[in-house]
Amino acid sequence: MPKGSTRMHWLLMSGSDHNDNQTKMNISQLIRKNIRALKPYSTARDEFKGGDISVWLDANESPYPNGVNRYPDPHQKRVKRLIASLFGVAPEAIFLGGAGSDEAIDITFRIFCEPGNDNVVAITPSYGVYKVAADINDVEIREVELNSDFSLPVARMLEASDSHTKLIWICSPNNPTGNAFPKEEVLKLSESFHGIVVVDEAYADFSGEGSLLPEIQSHPNIIVLRTFSKAWGLAGMRCGMAFAVPEITEYYNRVKYPYNMSSLIQEELARRIVEGTGNHIEEIIREREHMASKLSEAACVEKVYPSDANFLLVKVSDADAIYDYLIANGVIVRNRSRMPLCDGTLRITIGTPEENAKTLTLLNNYR
């Protein structure tokens, strides 16, 4: 999408403009040539158009039932319908990954970035997998340090980009700083950038800033990542999502491996969506505010940064020593003191009230 061009429009729910040539042309220009030409692996079930089948001899599976002897739905149709209803989008706007958001992150690089030629821009400090995925895919990553108050350096991010910059990565709320970026700033970035802006909203359920999902309608160069690992409490299931216009999600489904989510996970995820999360978002937010207040009273704590996530970034008097002290007393946190702008900090996830109380007692007793 050339800078200054008219923005593409696509209404997720109505399906209007689906044949808009300008939309398709601009999306197509951002995709790697070999990915545009890729013919995905066709599973036996891809060729099945429906019917009253009682004998399945198409996929070289074991015919003896044991609960998992058949291949799972490669397109996760039922789960996507449930997720579509949950988030207010069309099923075609969803990619579902079986390795959390990390699978979507890796595939995004493979769809848009030519190895050894293209580059991406990312904020720092932020989630480390963006850099790992860039290195694996042989893509240069240009890290732009947040402003000193952890705000988004929009102008410097644009200055860091060039004609080979395909992606900009933003984690909001950001890990490890905990702050959510104003949606207006992200939209401004997407309107000024010639490529794709990927917004990782893993912690959005804990924030009052809201989601950028509704903005995909008017800003189709935005991809939003979400996960079931945090607010839904399903980290062990490894379920992540990418939301985008179908012209983009089509390529996720081309590039992904055929059966990237097991039938067991699909069934369990569907069950939990139907029955409700049983989540503890409100309790975690209350505990976050309680922890922030009480941590400030500890002698070893120098600053507690505001948070829109399920964790707090805390500046302490001696991060390495306090980290070791907590481990010696059965509590593990994350030492982030070697990340840019995070000197002397620990990242403390919000636990149960009992776990939080133990952590506060230990920090109050630290000398």
Side-chain angles (χ1 to χ4, degrees):
M1 185 191 308
K3 289 183 179 179
S5 66
T6 301
R7 290 204 311 269
M8 302 173 289
H9 294 277
W10 192 88
L11 299 178
L12 289 174
M13 295 305 295
S14 69
S16 65
D17 290 338
H18 201 75
N19 296 315
D20 188 319
N21 291 331
Q22 185 67 25
T23 297
K24 290 187 175 182
M25 180 188 72
N26 284 329
I27 291 293
S28 180
Q29 288 176 349
L30 299 174
I31 308 296
R32 285 171 52 189
K33 290 181 180 179
N34 66 307
I35 300 298
R36 289 203 303 266
L38 177 67
K39 293 183 178 180
Y41 175 79
S42 177
T43 72
R45 302 296 140 79
D46 285 325
E47 299 165 3
F48 173 60
K49 302 303 180 183
D52 187 14
I53 305 297
S54 60
V55 179
W56 297 85
L57 304 178
D58 60 327
N60 300 336
E61 303 153 317
S62 170
Y64 301 103
N66 61 12
V68 289
N69 59 301
R70 299 296 182 185
Y71 284 110
D73 174 9
H75 304 295
Q76 308 108 10
K77 295 185 185 70
R78 181 182 177 227
V79 179
K80 285 181 179 176
R81 286 195 297 269
L82 292 170
I83 293 172
S85 177
L86 189 67
F87 286 96
V89 300
E92 296 78 18
I94 304 166
F95 165 75
L96 195 58
S101 297
D102 295 345
E103 182 176 358
I105 291 169
D106 178 64
I107 291 179
T108 304
F109 275 97
R110 287 191 274 153
I111 291 172
F112 294 103
C113 298
E114 190 71 43
N117 184 62
D118 291 329
N119 66 74
V120 304
V121 170
I123 57 174
T124 186
S126 195
Y127 184 40
V129 167
Y130 310 140
K131 178 170 173 49
V132 172
D135 291 343
I136 290 171
N137 287 281
D138 191 22
V139 174
E140 178 192 0
I141 184 166
R142 299 177 176 181
E143 295 184 307
V144 178
E145 197 169 278
L146 295 175
N147 296 322
S148 59
D149 61 354
F150 296 158
S151 60
L152 195 65
V154 174
R156 288 192 287 117
M157 294 174 77
L158 291 171
E159 290 170 3
S161 69
D162 60 25
S163 60
H164 289 283
T165 306
K166 292 296 185 68
L167 306 170
I168 288 179
W169 291 91
I170 299 173
C171 185
S172 181
N174 188 38
N175 175 13
T177 58
N179 59 311
F181 303 113
K183 289 191 288 186
E184 294 76 17
E185 294 185 358
V186 180
L187 294 177
K188 177 182 177 182
L189 189 61
S190 75
E191 292 163 4
S192 304
F193 179 53
H194 61 271
I196 298 291
V197 176
V198 188
V199 185
D200 188 344
E201 293 187 345
Y203 303 96
D205 294 285
F206 304 101
S207 172
E209 182 63 35
S211 173
L212 280 160
L213 263 177
E215 305 302 333
I216 293 174
Q217 300 176 20
S218 57
H219 296 74
N221 67 327
I222 291 179
I223 297 173
V224 173
L225 305 184
R226 297 294 289 264
T227 180
F228 284 98
S229 295
K230 309 301 181 183
W232 282 72
L234 304 177
M237 288 175 61
R238 308 303 298 126
C239 302
M241 299 158 282
F243 295 90
V245 292
E247 287 80 6
I248 291 177
T249 55
E250 173 190 350
Y251 287 103
Y252 279 93
N253 290 317
R254 287 193 196 184
V255 173
K256 79 174 184 70
Y257 287 106
Y259 303 107
N260 67 322
M261 179 171 284
S262 75
S263 55
L264 294 176
I265 297 300
Q266 290 188 47
E267 291 166 8
E268 182 64 11
L269 182 57
R271 182 185 72 81
R272 289 177 181 261
I273 293 174
V274 170
E275 294 181 0
T277 64
N279 65 51
H280 301 275
I281 296 174
E282 291 183 1
E283 182 177 3
I284 288 172
I285 292 174
R286 285 196 301 270
E287 282 293 307
R288 181 186 73 197
E289 301 312 309
H290 172 73
M291 282 285 284
S293 174
K294 293 300 182 182
L295 281 167
S296 300
E297 299 174 3
C300 65
V301 171
E302 298 179 359
K303 182 173 183 177
V304 179
Y305 291 92
S307 176
D308 293 290
N310 67 335
F311 60 83
L312 293 166
L313 187 69
V314 182
K315 186 174 178 61
V316 294
S317 55
D318 189 333
D320 291 342
I322 295 172
Y323 176 80
D324 292 340
Y325 162 75
L326 290 173
I327 286 181
N329 286 276
V331 174
I332 185 167
V333 296
R334 197 75 188 269
N335 189 343
R336 300 282 75 182
S337 59
R338 289 162 185 80
M339 298 189 77
L341 303 178
C342 295
D343 183 53
T345 62
L346 302 175
R347 192 193 69 193
I348 302 176
T349 305
I350 304 303
T352 64
E354 295 75 19
E355 291 169 336
N356 297 334
K358 178 177 180 178
T359 304
L360 286 170
T361 297
L362 288 171
L363 290 173
N364 279 317
N365 292 337
Y366 179 79
R367 296 292 183 267

